[in-house]
Amino acid sequence: MSWRKSVVLVAFSVLLLPAACLSATYRAVDVPELRESIAIVADLSGQGEQALLVGQDHRVFLLGDDNIVPLIEGISGQISALAVGDVNGDLKNEIVVGTDGGGAVYSFSEKNESWERQGQPQYLWDTIHRLEVFDFNQDGWGDLLVITARGQAQILLSSEGVLHPFWKSKAGEVVVGSKVIDVDHNGYPELIYAFQSGYIGVLEWDEQQFATRWENYPWGSVESLVVIPHQSSPEWLVVTSQKMLYGWRYRNGEVVSSRIIEGTELGERLFYFPGEGLLSLSQKTGIALFDLQASSVSEKWRVAGLFGNHAFYHQGVAYFRDVNSVYYRLVQGDANWRVFLHNQEITESVAVLQEGGELFYRLPDVAERLGLGKIADNYWYYTLGEHELVLDPVAMSVQYDNLVIPMKNPILQVEGAPYVSAEVFPLLGWKVDLDFSRQQVLIRRNWGWWL
């Protein structure tokens, strides 16, 4: 059978979708370069040039708009965390890499346009989940905040470029959120952290040691911690299992409550995107963006069917990672739908059009792949094994041998060829699923087919 290459003719507006999908004004686009990787937004040069730094398997690279720049190769262990900062006090940023298993920490400096490892790795004996570099004691050497896979927070102080374990969070507690920021604008950054059990505290550097400056016990276990920077005083928020959102900030020499809001719509993980709002990741209701107001949160949009466990913002685009370590970009929905047969994309091989809020597929384009045999050169008569199928656009039916099966949707005729809706495919042993959140048509074998 000859295949006709054709542009996909989809004019499908969200206004024509079922009511449950009206909010799907965004869709997810796979980013294959980030599959099974760790990605952070970082300023390697220290000149305010934000780039996407990626750790994948045993290598580190920069991901640009259309290119990959290799930086580091051959790291022992699977890369599980990345950070950028001045660890050795030379006023240049280093790349700090954490790995799984033994939890090794490596530091790399740029010399002669290549990145070289500095010193020996340090082992924390737990997979490193997150890394950040800050100068807690303001001695000119970058210190390291580590969050391990078991949920323990550690601070490693840098002494002339050598990292030494100095502080650990309480044993048995799970850190579910942390942020390092100068709470009171005294020049020293504080660590704000929250335990899953229902505790939030602020840790500060005081007289050559870390001390708890403030703590609180909100109602319920803590699900998420998010910090909103502000010129006068940053605000930190937690969402609890009771779906209460609590906020605090430093004012007039003390920490005061800034807001208490009931946020039943908020997900388990929150991320603040400057100028956009609070991005909410829920395993029940999908991804949503909220506007944070004085005494309430207002939903701006929601995409059901998209589920993630991490997100970041880069160059005006939101990225999120799902439980399978697949990264996606959230982009505005449009009229371009992609068609897949199992896992094979056939978008360019099948013409699709929209009529009355329904998608119709040009049957001759997919007949052979669906196991149909064409009788002579007639687009309306096919064989399926030993059976014969006849399409009748006038009667809106499909005749299967001697059985006439009425169709709910019409069978369209365009330039002498039939276009059929998804209801015809189960008769052929296939099913069609529409993934509205990703704007994809998925055609799969129907193994429960009754014929």
Side-chain angles (χ1 to χ4, degrees):
M1 176 179 181
S2 62
W3 285 89
R4 181 176 61 87
K5 303 290 282 186
S6 131
V7 178
V8 179
L9 305 172
V10 182
F12 202 65
S13 166
V14 293
L15 297 177
L16 298 171
L17 300 181
C21 300
L22 288 177
S23 61
T25 57
Y26 283 78
R27 64 187 177 94
V29 177
D30 188 10
V31 186
E33 297 85 357
L34 296 181
R35 188 175 295 272
E36 295 184 352
S37 66
I38 301 297
I40 64 170
V41 179
D43 178 12
L44 273 183
S45 66
Q47 303 299 315
E49 301 175 357
Q50 300 292 329
L52 209 53
L53 185 68
V54 182
Q56 190 177 69
D57 295 328
H58 311 285
R59 63 175 183 144
V60 179
F61 59 88
L62 286 175
L63 179 62
D65 293 335
D66 55 4
N67 65 327
I68 292 177
V69 180
L71 299 179
I72 304 169
E73 300 282 351
I75 294 175
S76 298
Q78 184 83 15
I79 296 175
S80 59
L82 290 172
V84 169
D86 183 9
V87 177
N88 61 17
D90 62 356
L91 302 181
K92 295 181 180 180
N93 281 337
E94 283 77 54
I95 297 176
V96 184
V97 178
T99 67
D100 64 0
V105 177
Y106 300 88
S107 178
F108 295 85
S109 296
E110 186 180 20
K111 293 182 179 179
N112 300 322
E113 299 184 351
S114 65
W115 291 85
E116 301 178 3
R117 197 180 83 183
Q118 304 300 302
Q120 296 299 315
Q122 184 157 352
Y123 294 90
L124 302 182
W125 308 115
D126 187 13
T127 294
I128 297 174
H129 181 67
R130 189 158 60 88
L131 294 171
E132 293 186 75
V133 178
F134 299 95
D135 188 358
F136 284 99
N137 55 6
Q138 295 297 286
D139 64 353
W141 304 85
D143 310 309
L144 196 63
L145 170 66
V146 181
I147 308 295
T148 70
R150 286 196 292 261
Q152 184 178 59
Q154 299 187 36
I155 294 178
L156 281 63
L157 285 188
S158 178
S159 175
E160 298 185 354
V162 179
L163 295 168
H164 301 277
F166 195 85
W167 176 87
K168 292 183 180 180
S169 60
K170 186 177 179 180
E173 296 282 7
V174 176
V175 174
V176 292
S178 65
K179 178 68 176 181
V180 177
I181 195 168
D182 190 352
V183 169
D184 52 9
H185 293 289
N186 67 349
Y188 287 79
E190 282 82 27
L191 168 63
I192 307 171
Y193 65 102
F195 289 148
Q196 187 179 57
S197 60
Y199 168 89
I200 179 169
V202 174
L203 195 73
E204 68 175 357
W205 180 258
D206 182 36
E207 296 183 356
Q208 304 304 308
Q209 63 180 351
F210 287 105
T212 298
R213 177 170 189 161
W214 169 90
E215 56 188 6
N216 199 290
Y217 298 84
W219 180 34
S221 59
V222 176
E223 293 183 339
S224 187
L225 164 71
V226 64
V227 176
I228 302 177
H230 194 274
Q231 289 183 348
S232 61
S233 175
E235 181 182 22
W236 56 96
L237 312 169
V238 295
V239 176
T240 71
S241 57
Q242 302 298 323
K243 289 307 174 186
M244 296 297 296
L245 186 148
Y246 297 87
W248 298 271
R249 67 188 333 149
Y250 187 83
R251 182 179 297 160
N252 298 325
E254 62 178 345
V255 176
V256 298
S257 174
S258 57
R259 68 183 85 219
I260 301 177
I261 299 172
E262 185 177 6
T264 54
E265 308 91 349
L266 296 174
E268 306 86 52
R269 298 176 187 270
L270 292 182
F271 301 86
Y272 175 69
F273 291 166
E276 299 291 335
L278 293 175
L279 189 74
S280 166
L281 304 184
S282 169
Q283 295 303 312
K284 295 181 179 178
T285 58
I287 296 179
L289 186 70
F290 289 87
D291 183 29
L292 180 62
Q293 301 170 354
S295 58
S296 64
V297 289
S298 175
E299 183 177 303
K300 301 171 71 173
W301 52 258
R302 179 180 296 277
V303 185
L306 293 184
F307 306 103
N309 56 20
H310 179 67
F312 64 87
Y313 201 60
H314 179 54
Q315 295 182 343
V317 177
Y319 293 74
F320 75 94
R321 183 183 65 204
D322 68 11
V323 294
N324 297 314
S325 295
V326 177
Y327 273 99
Y328 298 89
R329 291 185 294 115
L330 275 178
V331 300
Q332 285 279 0
D334 55 32
N336 297 317
W337 283 64
R338 300 168 66 190
V339 183
F340 290 82
L341 184 67
H342 290 306
N343 295 323
Q344 180 185 4
E345 184 170 3
I346 59 172
T347 301
E348 298 299 324
S349 299
V350 53
V352 183
L353 58 83
Q354 180 270 324
E355 178 75 24
E358 188 76 33
L359 290 179
F360 291 82
Y361 310 86
R362 189 177 186 275
L363 187 58
D365 290 348
V366 293
E368 185 175 307
R369 299 191 186 197
L370 300 182
L372 294 177
K374 188 170 61 175
I375 299 179
D377 291 325
N378 196 316
Y379 288 144
W380 302 86
Y381 295 83
Y382 296 90
T383 59
L384 181 61
E386 299 179 353
H387 305 282
E388 183 176 304
L389 290 93
V390 181
L391 305 177
D392 189 340
V394 177
M396 288 178 52
S397 66
V398 175
Q399 181 176 323
Y400 186 89
D401 292 336
N402 296 320
L403 176 65
V404 177
I405 305 173
M407 297 288 103
K408 177 181 177 181
N409 295 310
I411 299 174
L412 304 181
Q413 182 174 351
V414 180
E415 296 180 351
Y419 282 69
V420 299
S421 68
E423 67 175 327
V424 172
F425 286 77
L427 304 178
L428 312 176
W430 299 80
K431 62 179 179 179
V432 177
D433 295 323
L434 297 182
D435 187 338
F436 291 102
S437 60
R438 294 173 175 83
Q439 289 189 259
Q440 294 179 359
V441 177
L442 309 175
I443 304 174
R444 298 190 178 101
R445 173 71 70 180
N446 184 4
W447 298 109
W449 188 39
W450 60 273
L451 291 176

